[in-house]
Every structure is written in C-alpha cells, then in structure tokens.
Amino acid sequence: MTTSPEHTDIAIIGGGPAGLQAALTAGRVRRQVTLFDDGTYRNATVSHMHNVLTHDGTPPADFRAAARAELTAYDTVSVREERVETIERDGDAFRLTLKSGSVLSAYAVVLATGVRDELPLIPGLQDVWGDLAAQCPFCHAFEFAGKRIGIIGAAGAGHYTALMGPIAGEFVVFAEGQELPEGATTDAPIIEARMTGIDRVGDGLRVALDDGSTEDVAVLFVVPTLHQSAPFATQLGLELNPSGAVRIDEFGRTNVPGVTAGGDLAHLAAFPMPMASVVMATAAGQMAGHSAIAGLLARS
C-alpha cells in the first residue's frame, strides 16, 4: 500500500527575512504554509544588522527569533527545521524530498534560500567576513567613520570611494590585478602589490603584500561572486540573470508557474544584482507570498 505524501498549500524554503515574511503574509489569510529552515543564513557571521528601520543594530538572530515568535499566532503556519534536498514538478503540484527521506507535496513553492558569497582567495579574508570585511556600505560602513577603509579590487574602487567619501577618513585600494573600469575615477592610492594575508591587529586589520610591505585598515570592502546557496534553481529549470540570481518579474514570479522567489537569490532583470538588504528581502518575500496565494486562487 502506497502512502500519500504529506501536503501543504505553500512550501517556503528558507528562514531568513524573505521566507519569514512570505510565511506571515500567507498566514494572515489563513493559507496552509510550511516554512523550511535548515539554519543556513548568508549573514550568519554578522553581529548586528543595519539600515533596517526600528531594528537598526539588532542582531540577525534576534530578528529571526522575534519573527518566529510572531508566526506562532497563525495556526496555518508551520516552521520545520529541516533541509529540503530536492524539489520537482509532480503533475499540477510540486514534490519536495527532505533530508530525512520524507516527502511533502505543495501547490506553490516560495524560494528564499539566498546566495553564497565566493570571496577572493586571500588568506584570512573569510575569517573576518561579515565583521571587518563586508560588501554593503549601507549596512556596514557608518561604524568606521573617520577611519582608513580598504577596498579589495580596483574594479569597484570608483563606486566604493564615491559612496563612502563622506564616511572614510582615507582610502586605500588593493588592485588585485584589476583595472579601474572605463570612465571610473578615484583619488585613493592604488596598490598593485598582491595581498598575501589578512590578520586582526587591535580593532583593525593588517594586510600583508607580496612585496613584503603591510597596510593597516579599519575595514575592507569587496564585491563577492554570488552563487545560489541551494540547488533548486537548477532542479526546477529556473531562468537566471547574468549575476547568477534567479530572474523574477515584478510580482516575484519565476519562469516556472507556481514557483516564486524573494530575497538575495533573485532579482528583476533590470537590476544588475540582488539588492542585498533586510528591508528589500522582506518586501520581496511579501510579494512572493502574495503571488503564491494568487496562484492558489487561480486553482479554485
């Protein structure tokens, strides 16, 4: 005798701001929702999040805990600390296989699994990522006002120095074999020697270079290469943007009917990359939730 798989109307994969907001949105209209959170977060190394109104300086773990607590008021929302291994189309629904081997079916899927940052292979950089090395000036630069800010890669130097000009005491750019893009300018000194190591010294960083010299900075900024943190885009045949993020429309819909996406893993074709912030992720999660519900209404 074959046992039918467990069912939920909407399966949300990812327990960050986008996934949590999508769950709240669906819960508010009493839709059956299962949110899967395997404990993997892009900002796991970040101690405080910023540029989030009423939560500026809140630890991300506290934000997630508060959101989870709020979801307990909605009896149609279930949060499961499990990893989803595969998602596949199953007739007019989707079949999710969990790491435990159990199977769940869903009429709609909201992907909110985020991205994985691939950093330059510089010894010590990964150890300070999210603390004294970051990507987003809106989230991370203000606390280093008046200090020496280092930029890894000449390709982003023009943008970074212009954006953080009112913050930095001074800049130093580590070219790392890159050239300034055509039309870009910066007054910051550009060091051609390659970085060979990064170490904490006091409350800042010391950068070792292959010519034997060192440079001290308070913080480093770098643009990482993005990768999907989960295999679902490939499994479902989702269209990707040049950035590597899932392509969505204005309603958070992917090219696969029934699959919506929100947060860092996805963005509109008009954007060059994901707009990585808690506020943007939350808004995208709400839209993805709305669109998932719209898909359920179309089934009626």
Side-chain angles (χ1 to χ4, degrees):
M1 179 178 177
T2 302
T3 302
S4 297
E6 184 182 354
H7 178 80
T8 188
D9 286 343
I10 304 173
I12 301 172
I13 323 299
L20 291 164
Q21 179 62 56
L24 177 61
T25 298
R28 291 289 302 169
V29 290
R30 302 206 74 225
R31 289 292 175 171
Q32 200 71 38
V33 176
T34 303
L35 183 149
F36 292 94
D37 183 355
D38 68 0
T40 301
Y41 312 108
R42 185 185 186 189
N43 65 357
T45 61
V46 177
S47 59
H48 298 88
M49 62 188 196
H50 292 285
N51 199 28
V52 184
L53 197 63
T54 77
H55 289 286
D56 195 46
T58 298
D62 291 357
F63 178 89
R64 292 190 297 268
R68 287 256 204 126
E70 290 178 357
L71 290 179
T72 62
Y74 300 91
D75 60 351
T76 61
V77 176
S78 172
V79 177
R80 295 171 57 167
E81 294 179 344
E82 296 183 73
R83 179 184 294 273
V84 177
E85 295 285 356
T86 62
I87 306 175
E88 56 189 327
R89 173 71 75 176
D90 185 13
D92 64 349
F94 297 91
R95 180 183 179 91
L96 286 70
T97 302
L98 311 183
K99 186 176 182 180
S100 64
S102 60
V103 174
L104 178 136
S105 71
Y107 291 136
V109 172
V110 177
L111 296 179
T113 48
V115 291
R116 174 176 57 83
D117 296 307
E118 179 187 348
L119 300 176
L121 295 177
I122 302 167
L125 179 57
Q126 186 69 57
D127 297 336
V128 297
W129 181 243
D131 179 15
L132 296 182
Q135 174 188 10
C136 176
F138 292 101
C139 303
H140 212 76
F142 182 85
E143 287 66 38
F144 301 94
K147 297 185 178 181
R148 194 179 197 218
I149 293 177
I151 297 166
I152 300 176
H159 176 71
Y160 272 139
T161 56
L163 185 57
M164 293 187 285
I167 297 173
E170 62 177 304
F171 290 104
V172 59
V173 176
F174 302 96
E176 290 300 290
Q178 300 175 8
E179 304 256 347
L180 282 172
E182 186 176 352
T185 61
T186 180
D187 293 330
I190 298 177
I191 295 176
E192 300 294 342
R194 302 298 288 258
M195 304 170 77
T196 58
I198 299 168
D199 293 297
R200 292 179 185 270
V201 176
D203 59 356
L205 298 172
R206 179 158 294 161
V207 177
L209 303 167
D210 64 3
D211 63 0
S213 65
T214 61
E215 296 286 341
D216 289 345
V217 297
V219 63
L220 289 165
F221 280 85
V222 60
V223 179
T225 300
L226 304 183
H227 300 279
Q228 291 290 311
S229 65
F232 309 127
T234 299
Q235 291 174 3
L236 292 165
L238 302 186
E239 184 179 1
L240 301 181
N241 290 300
S243 67
V246 172
R247 179 168 293 187
I248 54 174
D249 67 10
E250 291 82 355
F251 294 95
R253 298 174 298 201
T254 71
N255 62 300
V256 174
V259 179
T260 60
D264 293 353
L265 88 160
H267 63 83
L268 294 167
F271 291 179
M273 65 187 71
M275 302 294 104
S277 79
V278 172
V279 173
M280 294 289 282
T282 303
Q286 185 177 84
M287 182 59 75
H290 276 301
S291 292
I293 294 163
L296 296 182
L297 296 176
R299 297 177 61 91
S300 302

